[in-house]
Amino acid sequence: MTIASLLSKLGRRTPLFVTVAGQVIGAADVVKADGEFRHPNHGRVTSVAKHAFHDGDDPIPTEVVNAWWINDPSALETERNNMALAFPGFTEVTTDGRPGWTGEIDTGRGKHWIELVHRRDHGLPSVEVLSARRLERRAGRRFVRSPHLFTSGKLCVAYADDWNADEHDAVTVVAWAAHWLAAYSEWRFTSKWPSEGAAVEAA
Amino acid sequence: MEENHRNQSLGGLVIESIQARFAKGVLEQYRSDKIWSTKSVRESSLHGSSLTSAGHPEFDGLDIGERAACNLAVTFFDMSHFTARSFWEPLETVTRLAQAVLTQFALIVEESGGFVLGLRGDGLMAGWGGQGSEPEVDVVMCMAACAIALDSGKGVLNDLLARDAIEPVQIRAGVDWGEVNFIRTGTNKQSDMNIVGFAANFAAKCEKYANAWEIVVGEGASLHLDETYLTSHADSPKDYQYKGERRSYSFNQFAWKRIVDDAASAINQIGGRPTSAIVPTY
């Protein structure tokens, strides 16, 4: 049992936020002004939407005639604006003809280069850590695979039902990935995964 | 002796539990010859320069009249029925016991990332929090320290005291969280750091509401705790009236026995670092 586990058990759930650099912080000193959350030291911060980590097989995309970014180009444009504000260090990429984002998450305990790629059916985007060949920790002479990974090794940042394409975008998923990586850092140190996800979010 | 008081054995390496360390520390202090060596007034004024007073390191630099605000989880520990004990038992005995128990309380406070803010007779005031710390972390580590202090006292310490034919101790604690002011009060010759604010006052009140082996938690701290660990106190809420306005403030019993094992591990992990060093990832 660790501090994080005790907090998870005993502490009342409060919203989490992610800084522009990718560090997860608590709600202390975060204020909402003009529709955005700000912290006196970290500047603009992003609320972590409700989500739960899980694992299993990679989700199978639904076949669609046109990808969502073809049907609704304005949604992608809105996402670009939101990413520029929330995670300005990220750059837009195209992978297998699909739009996505790549950038560095600095958890405060380590830096990880990630890539997020959208799905044609507008389901939960996939997230992969590019800066590590394997996500694992040493346990004696062997290595233990990180919890909360899909079979492919991509991050299982949330349940498919946590994702709401009408409300969420890449900003949501980068914040979930930052939370995943913060928990992963804790797991690497302590062997205990400290969090089930985020049970509440800032309004 | 209950299972969680025992030292753990891992591959032949015996790891002393925090509760066992507490109890052994109390007995060692209690038996120490140092306490019996009464100094004269003149000698006692020449104390070692390396000793530091209780207080919060972020506010040590305040001059007389200067103040600084801080959100803090505050606790008051004390030994209940100690006044009666000091009436009946020799002064040397109660001095020895107070010194021994409070020294171990202070160690638990330090190890759990808190600061001893003051000592009076049979009681100790401590705080968790400071620049950049999360209120929830401050409150949870404060509760962890209180739980370990009570568990250590009720279990191992009283077992050891009984073996030495010493009357058992009874411990209680009150906790609250909120904004307090640190202000240096006094004269140029003599001053002390005073901690002023409702949270500090109500934590002291909670301690008085607590019976032996109970932790009572004010509304401010309760807001940061999972409600399944809280039960409304029979005397809650406390009503305050001021200029015709009436407001209530609730307080709760805290189910500290349920967190003892987790608290010991968490204190071992934080290892004396301030709570501001902890990043919440839950």
Side-chain angles (χ1 to χ4, degrees):
Chain A
M1 189 58 70
T2 62
I3 296 165
S5 305
L6 181 63
L7 279 164
S8 174
K9 189 173 179 179
L10 180 58
R12 183 162 288 193
R13 303 291 189 273
T14 52
L16 293 174
F17 296 86
V18 178
T19 68
V20 291
Q23 185 176 339
V24 175
I25 62 169
D29 300 328
V30 173
V31 293
K32 190 173 187 180
D34 300 327
E36 64 180 39
F37 295 103
R38 298 196 70 83
H39 184 276
N41 300 330
H42 296 292
R44 186 191 167 103
V45 293
T46 300
S47 170
V48 179
K50 280 190 209 175
H51 72 127
F53 301 120
H54 74 121
D55 50 30
D57 292 333
D58 292 68
I60 300 168
T62 310
E63 288 297 327
V64 291
V65 177
N66 288 323
W68 64 268
W69 56 86
I70 304 291
N71 289 336
D72 187 8
S74 66
L76 193 57
E77 195 53 39
T78 302
E79 177 175 288
R80 287 187 184 112
N81 294 333
N82 292 341
M83 281 295 285
L85 291 169
F87 300 109
F90 274 63
T91 53
E92 193 172 352
V93 293
T94 303
T95 303
D96 298 333
R98 296 178 291 155
W101 298 88
T102 187
E104 190 177 65
I105 295 286
D106 183 353
T107 65
R109 282 171 152 184
K111 295 177 179 177
H112 306 268
W113 198 268
I114 67 164
E115 184 181 74
L116 172 160
V117 181
H118 278 295
R119 281 167 41 170
R120 288 171 56 81
D121 63 1
H122 217 174
L124 176 65
S126 67
V127 184
E128 192 171 2
V129 175
L130 304 179
S131 52
R133 207 153 55 90
R134 287 190 293 264
L135 295 165
E136 56 193 16
R137 67 185 294 275
R138 185 186 281 277
R141 290 182 180 177
R142 61 193 183 90
F143 288 90
V144 178
R145 189 175 192 258
S146 170
H148 303 300
L149 289 173
F150 285 122
T151 309
S152 65
K154 290 178 180 170
L155 310 191
C156 193
V157 296
Y159 276 85
D161 292 349
D162 292 332
W163 168 259
N164 180 347
D166 294 332
E167 290 180 11
H168 299 152
D169 62 11
V171 171
T172 314
V173 180
V174 171
W176 285 344
H179 191 198
W180 192 100
L181 289 163
Y184 172 72
S185 301
E186 176 80 13
W187 173 78
R188 293 251 298 164
F189 279 105
T190 65
S191 79
K192 310 281 186 199
W193 193 269
S195 172
E196 293 172 5
V200 294
E201 65 185 81
Chain B
M1 205 176 287
E2 292 171 25
E3 185 61 33
N4 61 20
H5 298 142
R6 288 181 187 153
N7 294 333
Q8 296 175 321
S9 177
L10 291 173
L13 176 69
V14 175
I15 300 172
E16 194 171 38
S17 75
I18 193 168
Q19 292 95 331
R21 266 190 287 135
F22 177 97
K24 274 173 60 180
V26 170
L27 271 194
E28 282 168 15
Q29 281 271 332
Y30 186 85
R31 293 171 181 149
S32 168
D33 287 337
K34 200 171 176 183
I35 298 172
W36 287 115
S37 62
T38 310
K39 286 186 174 179
S40 68
V41 173
R42 179 171 164 69
E43 281 176 317
S44 64
S45 68
L46 303 172
H47 58 74
S49 58
S50 63
L51 299 178
T52 55
S53 299
H56 195 302
E58 288 178 25
F59 308 110
D60 278 350
L62 293 177
D63 282 330
I64 290 169
E66 284 186 334
R67 65 180 180 178
C70 177
N71 284 326
L72 212 62
V74 184
T75 187
F76 282 81
F77 295 113
D78 85 352
M79 287 183 276
S80 41
H81 308 305
F82 201 75
T83 305
R85 198 159 177 168
S86 62
F87 180 80
W88 290 109
E89 294 187 24
L91 177 60
E92 291 82 1
T93 306
V94 289
T95 304
R96 232 171 227 273
L97 198 61
Q99 165 72 1
V101 173
L102 294 184
T103 299
Q104 296 309 309
F105 277 169
L107 282 170
I108 290 175
V109 169
E110 285 179 11
E111 287 183 24
S112 62
F115 306 101
V116 175
L117 301 174
L119 291 152
R120 289 291 177 274
D122 63 331
L124 177 149
M125 177 192 188
W128 286 254
Q131 181 78 36
S133 70
E134 291 290 338
E136 198 174 6
V137 178
D138 295 335
V139 172
V140 166
M141 290 313 295
C142 172
M143 302 318 298
C146 291
I148 290 299
L150 264 66
D151 187 62
S152 305
K154 193 166 192 180
V156 194
L157 173 59
N158 276 343
D159 284 350
L160 292 179
L161 290 177
R163 279 185 220 166
D164 273 27
I166 302 167
E167 277 289 305
V169 293
Q170 295 184 316
I171 302 167
R172 60 184 177 172
V175 173
D176 207 359
W177 176 90
E179 187 177 38
V180 296
N181 264 326
F182 283 74
I183 181 164
R184 184 167 291 284
T185 304
T187 68
N188 286 332
K189 286 183 179 174
Q190 287 188 316
S191 70
D192 202 356
M193 191 64 75
N194 195 12
I195 295 127
V196 183
F198 181 76
N201 296 339
F202 203 79
K205 193 169 283 292
C206 285
E207 182 214 76
K208 301 304 173 203
Y209 278 119
N211 293 316
W213 312 118
E214 286 181 357
I215 301 174
V216 173
V217 188
E219 186 175 312
S222 298
L223 290 172
H224 297 285
L225 295 168
D226 188 300
E227 59 198 16
T228 60
Y229 289 83
L230 303 170
T231 310
S232 183
H233 191 280
D235 295 328
S236 178
K238 171 79 179 163
D239 291 329
Y240 290 97
Q241 281 191 335
Y242 182 68
K243 293 182 178 176
E245 191 181 355
R246 185 189 181 103
R247 288 172 67 181
S248 295
Y249 194 80
S250 66
F251 51 101
N252 300 288
Q253 304 259 23
F254 177 68
W256 61 269
K257 289 178 185 169
R258 287 169 52 198
I259 66 156
V260 167
D261 288 348
D262 302 341
S265 302
I267 290 172
N268 282 331
Q269 193 191 1
I270 197 170
R273 289 175 297 157
T275 47
S276 55
I278 304 303
V279 177
T281 53
Y282 43 85

